[in-house]
Amino acid sequence: MLAWATLATLLGLSMWAFLDASAGRAVANQKTLEYFTGYLIELSLSADNMFVFSLIFTYFAVPPELQRRVLRMGWRSC
């Protein structure tokens, strides 16, 4: 998780530097803010998904050793 957050931060900073040099500081600030906002929204949605999975597993009393199998079965049906 830390590696992905570090890579996302480095990408955002490099995007800001590129846009600052080519399009100006106002555009760089706006686009970088949009990027980090989108990243944080996606991160919070993935945490929300984990909470929902936990609720479903608890409600249906899925044993921990079968939870991966249940997730893979759902993934294959898409």
Side-chain angles (χ1 to χ4, degrees):
M1 170 88 175
L2 183 60
W4 291 117
T6 302
L7 285 173
T9 302
L10 289 174
L11 178 64
L13 293 174
S14 62
M15 181 180 72
W16 181 86
F18 173 77
L19 288 173
D20 185 40
S22 63
R25 179 134 319 163
V27 173
N29 289 343
Q30 179 65 31
K31 295 301 179 184
T32 305
L33 179 64
E34 290 173 8
Y35 167 76
F36 282 119
T37 302
Y39 177 76
L40 289 175
I41 288 171
E42 288 296 324
L43 189 63
S44 66
L45 288 174
S46 68
D48 179 49
N49 286 345
M50 296 307 295
F51 177 70
V52 170
F53 289 149
S54 174
L55 285 176
I56 291 171
F57 289 155
T58 302
Y59 180 79
F60 288 109
V62 178
E65 60 272 5
L66 296 178
Q67 290 177 0
R68 280 184 176 242
R69 185 174 176 196
V70 169
L71 286 173
R72 278 185 270 156
M73 286 175 16
W75 177 71
R76 277 190 237 155
S77 66
C78 293

